[in-house]
CSV table of all heavy atoms in Angstrom, one decimal:
chain,number,residue,atom,x,y,z
A,121,PHE,N,3.7,32.3,-6.2
A,121,PHE,CA,2.5,33.0,-5.7
A,121,PHE,C,2.7,34.5,-5.6
A,121,PHE,O,1.8,35.2,-5.1
A,121,PHE,CB,2.2,32.4,-4.3
A,121,PHE,CG,1.7,31.0,-4.4
A,121,PHE,CD1,2.6,30.0,-4.0
A,121,PHE,CD2,0.4,30.6,-4.8
A,121,PHE,CE1,2.2,28.6,-4.0
A,121,PHE,CE2,0.0,29.3,-4.8
A,121,PHE,CZ,0.9,28.3,-4.5
A,122,GLY,N,3.8,35.0,-6.2
A,122,GLY,CA,3.9,36.4,-6.4
A,122,GLY,C,4.5,37.2,-5.1
A,122,GLY,O,4.4,38.4,-5.1
A,123,PHE,N,5.0,36.4,-4.2
A,123,PHE,CA,5.6,37.1,-3.0
A,123,PHE,C,6.9,37.8,-3.4
A,123,PHE,O,7.3,38.8,-2.8
A,123,PHE,CB,5.8,36.1,-1.9
A,123,PHE,CG,4.5,35.7,-1.2
A,123,PHE,CD1,3.9,34.5,-1.5
A,123,PHE,CD2,3.9,36.5,-0.3
A,123,PHE,CE1,2.7,34.1,-0.9
A,123,PHE,CE2,2.7,36.1,0.3
A,123,PHE,CZ,2.1,34.9,0.0
A,124,THR,N,7.6,37.2,-4.4
A,124,THR,CA,8.8,37.8,-5.0
A,124,THR,C,8.7,37.6,-6.5
A,124,THR,O,8.6,36.5,-7.0
A,124,THR,CB,10.0,37.1,-4.5
A,124,THR,OG1,10.0,35.7,-4.8
A,124,THR,CG2,10.2,37.3,-3.0
A,125,GLY,N,8.6,38.7,-7.2
A,125,GLY,CA,8.6,38.6,-8.7
A,125,GLY,C,7.2,38.4,-9.2
A,125,GLY,O,6.2,38.6,-8.5
A,126,GLN,N,7.0,38.1,-10.5
A,126,GLN,CA,5.8,37.9,-11.2
A,126,GLN,C,5.1,36.6,-10.8
A,126,GLN,O,5.8,35.5,-10.9
A,126,GLN,CB,5.9,38.0,-12.7
A,126,GLN,CG,4.7,37.8,-13.5
A,126,GLN,CD,3.7,38.9,-13.2
A,126,GLN,OE1,4.0,40.1,-13.0
A,126,GLN,NE2,2.4,38.6,-13.1
A,127,ALA,N,3.9,36.6,-10.3
A,127,ALA,CA,3.2,35.3,-9.9
A,127,ALA,C,2.9,34.5,-11.1
A,127,ALA,O,2.4,34.9,-12.2
A,127,ALA,CB,1.9,35.7,-9.2
A,128,GLU,N,3.2,33.2,-11.0
A,128,GLU,CA,2.8,32.2,-12.0
A,128,GLU,C,1.4,31.6,-11.7
A,128,GLU,O,0.8,31.1,-12.6
A,128,GLU,CB,3.8,31.1,-12.1
A,128,GLU,CG,5.2,31.5,-12.5
A,128,GLU,CD,6.2,30.4,-12.6
A,128,GLU,OE1,5.7,29.2,-12.6
A,128,GLU,OE2,7.4,30.6,-12.6
A,129,ASP,N,1.0,31.6,-10.5
A,129,ASP,CA,-0.3,31.1,-10.1
A,129,ASP,C,-1.4,32.1,-10.6
A,129,ASP,O,-1.3,33.3,-10.4
A,129,ASP,CB,-0.4,31.0,-8.6
A,129,ASP,CG,-1.8,30.5,-8.1
A,129,ASP,OD1,-2.1,29.3,-8.2
A,129,ASP,OD2,-2.6,31.4,-7.7
A,130,GLY,N,-2.4,31.6,-11.3
A,130,GLY,CA,-3.4,32.4,-12.0
A,130,GLY,C,-4.2,33.3,-11.0
A,130,GLY,O,-4.3,34.5,-11.2
A,131,THR,N,-4.6,32.7,-9.9
A,131,THR,CA,-5.4,33.5,-8.9
A,131,THR,C,-4.5,34.5,-8.2
A,131,THR,O,-5.0,35.6,-8.0
A,131,THR,CB,-5.9,32.5,-7.8
A,131,THR,OG1,-6.7,31.5,-8.4
A,131,THR,CG2,-6.8,33.2,-6.8
A,132,ALA,N,-3.3,34.1,-7.9
A,132,ALA,CA,-2.4,35.1,-7.3
A,132,ALA,C,-2.0,36.3,-8.2
A,132,ALA,O,-1.9,37.4,-7.8
A,132,ALA,CB,-1.1,34.4,-6.8
A,133,ALA,N,-1.9,36.0,-9.5
A,133,ALA,CA,-1.6,37.0,-10.5
A,133,ALA,C,-2.8,38.0,-10.6
A,133,ALA,O,-2.5,39.2,-10.8
A,133,ALA,CB,-1.3,36.4,-11.8
A,134,ILE,N,-4.0,37.6,-10.4
A,134,ILE,CA,-5.2,38.4,-10.6
A,134,ILE,C,-5.6,39.1,-9.2
A,134,ILE,O,-5.8,40.3,-9.2
A,134,ILE,CB,-6.4,37.6,-11.1
A,134,ILE,CG1,-6.0,37.1,-12.5
A,134,ILE,CG2,-7.6,38.5,-11.2
A,134,ILE,CD1,-7.1,36.1,-13.0
A,135,LEU,N,-5.6,38.3,-8.2
A,135,LEU,CA,-6.2,38.8,-6.9
A,135,LEU,C,-5.1,39.1,-5.8
A,135,LEU,O,-5.5,39.5,-4.7
A,135,LEU,CB,-7.2,37.8,-6.3
A,135,LEU,CG,-8.4,37.5,-7.2
A,135,LEU,CD1,-9.2,36.4,-6.6
A,135,LEU,CD2,-9.2,38.7,-7.5
A,136,GLY,N,-3.9,38.8,-6.1
A,136,GLY,CA,-2.8,39.0,-5.1
A,136,GLY,C,-2.3,37.8,-4.5
A,136,GLY,O,-2.9,36.7,-4.6
A,137,SER,N,-1.0,37.9,-4.0
A,137,SER,CA,-0.3,36.7,-3.5
A,137,SER,C,-1.0,36.0,-2.3
A,137,SER,O,-1.1,34.8,-2.3
A,137,SER,CB,1.1,37.1,-3.2
A,137,SER,OG,1.1,38.2,-2.2
A,138,LYS,N,-1.5,36.8,-1.4
A,138,LYS,CA,-2.1,36.2,-0.2
A,138,LYS,C,-3.4,35.4,-0.5
A,138,LYS,O,-3.6,34.3,-0.1
A,138,LYS,CB,-2.4,37.2,0.9
A,138,LYS,CG,-1.1,37.8,1.5
A,138,LYS,CD,-1.4,38.8,2.6
A,138,LYS,CE,-0.2,39.4,3.2
A,138,LYS,NZ,-0.5,40.4,4.3
A,139,ILE,N,-4.2,36.0,-1.4
A,139,ILE,CA,-5.4,35.4,-1.8
A,139,ILE,C,-5.1,34.1,-2.6
A,139,ILE,O,-5.8,33.1,-2.5
A,139,ILE,CB,-6.4,36.3,-2.5
A,139,ILE,CG1,-6.8,37.5,-1.6
A,139,ILE,CG2,-7.6,35.6,-3.1
A,139,ILE,CD1,-7.7,38.5,-2.3
A,140,GLY,N,-4.1,34.3,-3.5
A,140,GLY,CA,-3.7,33.1,-4.3
A,140,GLY,C,-3.2,32.0,-3.5
A,140,GLY,O,-3.6,30.8,-3.7
A,141,LEU,N,-2.4,32.2,-2.5
A,141,LEU,CA,-1.9,31.2,-1.6
A,141,LEU,C,-3.1,30.6,-0.8
A,141,LEU,O,-3.2,29.3,-0.6
A,141,LEU,CB,-0.9,31.7,-0.6
A,141,LEU,CG,-0.3,30.7,0.4
A,141,LEU,CD1,0.4,29.5,-0.3
A,141,LEU,CD2,0.7,31.4,1.3
A,142,GLY,N,-4.0,31.4,-0.3
A,142,GLY,CA,-5.1,30.9,0.5
A,142,GLY,C,-6.0,30.0,-0.4
A,142,GLY,O,-6.5,29.0,0.1
A,143,PHE,N,-6.3,30.4,-1.6
A,143,PHE,CA,-7.1,29.6,-2.5
A,143,PHE,C,-6.4,28.3,-2.8
A,143,PHE,O,-7.1,27.3,-2.9
A,143,PHE,CB,-7.3,30.4,-3.8
A,143,PHE,CG,-8.4,29.8,-4.7
A,143,PHE,CD1,-9.7,30.0,-4.4
A,143,PHE,CD2,-8.0,29.1,-5.9
A,143,PHE,CE1,-10.7,29.4,-5.2
A,143,PHE,CE2,-9.0,28.6,-6.7
A,143,PHE,CZ,-10.3,28.7,-6.4
A,144,PHE,N,-5.1,28.3,-3.0
A,144,PHE,CA,-4.3,27.1,-3.2
A,144,PHE,C,-4.4,26.1,-2.1
A,144,PHE,O,-4.6,24.9,-2.2
A,144,PHE,CB,-2.9,27.4,-3.5
A,144,PHE,CG,-2.0,26.2,-3.5
A,144,PHE,CD1,-2.0,25.3,-4.6
A,144,PHE,CD2,-1.1,25.9,-2.4
A,144,PHE,CE1,-1.2,24.2,-4.5
A,144,PHE,CE2,-0.3,24.8,-2.4
A,144,PHE,CZ,-0.3,23.9,-3.5
A,145,LEU,N,-4.4,26.7,-0.8
A,145,LEU,CA,-4.5,25.8,0.4
A,145,LEU,C,-5.9,25.2,0.5
A,145,LEU,O,-6.0,24.0,0.9
A,145,LEU,CB,-4.1,26.6,1.6
A,145,LEU,CG,-2.7,27.1,1.7
A,145,LEU,CD1,-2.5,28.0,3.0
A,145,LEU,CD2,-1.7,25.9,1.8
A,146,ILE,N,-6.9,25.9,0.1
A,146,ILE,CA,-8.3,25.4,0.1
A,146,ILE,C,-8.4,24.3,-1.0
A,146,ILE,O,-8.9,23.2,-0.7
A,146,ILE,CB,-9.3,26.5,-0.2
A,146,ILE,CG1,-9.3,27.5,0.9
A,146,ILE,CG2,-10.7,25.9,-0.5
A,146,ILE,CD1,-10.2,28.7,0.6
A,147,GLU,N,-7.8,24.5,-2.1
A,147,GLU,CA,-7.7,23.4,-3.2
A,147,GLU,C,-7.0,22.2,-2.7
A,147,GLU,O,-7.5,21.1,-2.9
A,147,GLU,CB,-7.0,23.9,-4.4
A,147,GLU,CG,-7.8,24.9,-5.2
A,147,GLU,CD,-7.0,25.3,-6.5
A,147,GLU,OE1,-5.8,25.7,-6.3
A,147,GLU,OE2,-7.5,25.3,-7.6
A,148,LEU,N,-5.9,22.4,-2.0
A,148,LEU,CA,-5.1,21.3,-1.4
A,148,LEU,C,-5.9,20.5,-0.4
A,148,LEU,O,-5.9,19.3,-0.4
A,148,LEU,CB,-3.8,21.8,-0.8
A,148,LEU,CG,-2.9,20.8,-0.3
A,148,LEU,CD1,-2.4,19.9,-1.4
A,148,LEU,CD2,-1.7,21.4,0.4
A,149,LEU,N,-6.6,21.2,0.5
A,149,LEU,CA,-7.5,20.5,1.5
A,149,LEU,C,-8.6,19.7,0.8
A,149,LEU,O,-8.9,18.6,1.1
A,149,LEU,CB,-8.1,21.5,2.4
A,149,LEU,CG,-9.0,21.0,3.5
A,149,LEU,CD1,-8.3,20.0,4.4
A,149,LEU,CD2,-9.6,22.1,4.3
A,150,PHE,N,-9.2,20.3,-0.3
A,150,PHE,CA,-10.2,19.6,-1.0
A,150,PHE,C,-9.7,18.4,-1.7
A,150,PHE,O,-10.3,17.3,-1.6
A,150,PHE,CB,-10.8,20.6,-2.1
A,150,PHE,CG,-11.7,20.0,-3.1
A,150,PHE,CD1,-13.0,19.6,-2.7
A,150,PHE,CD2,-11.3,19.7,-4.4
A,150,PHE,CE1,-13.9,19.1,-3.6
A,150,PHE,CE2,-12.2,19.2,-5.3
A,150,PHE,CZ,-13.5,18.8,-4.9
A,151,ALA,N,-8.5,18.5,-2.2
A,151,ALA,CA,-7.9,17.3,-2.9
A,151,ALA,C,-7.6,16.2,-1.9
A,151,ALA,O,-7.8,15.0,-2.1
A,151,ALA,CB,-6.6,17.7,-3.6
A,152,ILE,N,-7.1,16.6,-0.7
A,152,ILE,CA,-6.8,15.6,0.4
A,152,ILE,C,-8.1,14.8,0.8
A,152,ILE,O,-8.1,13.6,0.9
A,152,ILE,CB,-6.1,16.3,1.6
A,152,ILE,CG1,-4.7,16.8,1.2
A,152,ILE,CG2,-6.1,15.3,2.8
A,152,ILE,CD1,-4.1,17.6,2.3
A,153,LEU,N,-9.1,15.6,1.0
A,153,LEU,CA,-10.4,14.9,1.4
A,153,LEU,C,-11.0,14.0,0.3
A,153,LEU,O,-11.4,12.9,0.6
A,153,LEU,CB,-11.4,16.0,1.7
A,153,LEU,CG,-11.1,16.9,3.0
A,153,LEU,CD1,-12.1,18.0,3.1
A,153,LEU,CD2,-11.0,16.0,4.2
A,154,VAL,N,-10.9,14.4,-0.9
A,154,VAL,CA,-11.4,13.6,-2.0
A,154,VAL,C,-10.6,12.3,-2.1
A,154,VAL,O,-11.1,11.2,-2.3
A,154,VAL,CB,-11.3,14.4,-3.4
A,154,VAL,CG1,-11.6,13.4,-4.5
A,154,VAL,CG2,-12.4,15.5,-3.4
A,155,SER,N,-9.2,12.4,-2.0
A,155,SER,CA,-8.4,11.3,-2.2
A,155,SER,C,-8.6,10.3,-1.0
A,155,SER,O,-8.4,9.1,-1.2
A,155,SER,CB,-6.9,11.7,-2.2
A,155,SER,OG,-6.5,12.3,-1.0
A,156,MET,N,-8.9,10.8,0.2
A,156,MET,CA,-9.1,9.9,1.3
A,156,MET,C,-10.3,9.1,1.2
A,156,MET,O,-10.4,8.0,1.8
A,156,MET,CB,-9.1,10.8,2.6
A,156,MET,CG,-7.8,11.3,3.1
A,156,MET,SD,-8.0,12.3,4.6
A,156,MET,CE,-6.3,12.5,5.1
A,157,TYR,N,-11.3,9.6,0.6
A,157,TYR,CA,-12.7,9.0,0.6
A,157,TYR,C,-12.7,7.6,0.1
A,157,TYR,O,-13.3,6.7,0.7
A,157,TYR,CB,-13.6,9.9,-0.2
A,157,TYR,CG,-15.0,9.4,-0.3
A,157,TYR,CD1,-15.9,9.4,0.7
A,157,TYR,CD2,-15.4,8.8,-1.5
A,157,TYR,CE1,-17.2,8.9,0.6
A,157,TYR,CE2,-16.7,8.3,-1.7
A,157,TYR,CZ,-17.6,8.3,-0.6
A,157,TYR,OH,-18.8,7.8,-0.8
A,158,TYR,N,-12.1,7.4,-1.1
A,158,TYR,CA,-12.3,6.1,-1.7
A,158,TYR,C,-11.5,5.0,-1.0
A,158,TYR,O,-12.1,3.9,-0.7
A,158,TYR,CB,-11.8,6.2,-3.2
A,158,TYR,CG,-12.7,7.1,-4.0
A,158,TYR,CD1,-12.4,8.4,-4.2
A,158,TYR,CD2,-14.0,6.7,-4.5
A,158,TYR,CE1,-13.2,9.3,-4.9
A,158,TYR,CE2,-14.8,7.5,-5.2
A,158,TYR,CZ,-14.4,8.8,-5.4
A,158,TYR,OH,-15.2,9.7,-6.1
A,159,PRO,N,-10.2,5.1,-0.8
A,159,PRO,CA,-9.5,4.0,-0.1
A,159,PRO,C,-10.0,3.7,1.3
A,159,PRO,O,-10.0,2.6,1.8
A,159,PRO,CB,-8.0,4.4,-0.1
A,159,PRO,CG,-8.0,5.9,-0.3
A,159,PRO,CD,-9.3,6.2,-1.1
A,160,ALA,N,-10.3,4.8,2.0
A,160,ALA,CA,-10.8,4.6,3.4
A,160,ALA,C,-12.2,3.8,3.4
A,160,ALA,O,-12.4,3.0,4.3
A,160,ALA,CB,-11.0,5.9,4.1
Side-chain angles (χ1 to χ4, degrees):
F121 293 103
F123 289 99
T124 56
Q126 180 63 39
E128 294 183 17
D129 178 80
T131 306
I134 297 173
L135 301 177
S137 56
K138 292 183 179 180
I139 295 178
L141 179 60
F143 192 75
F144 169 75
L145 293 177
I146 293 173
E147 287 182 312
L148 183 62
L149 177 61
F150 173 72
I152 291 172
L153 295 176
V154 170
S155 67
M156 286 179 169
Y157 174 77
Y158 296 99

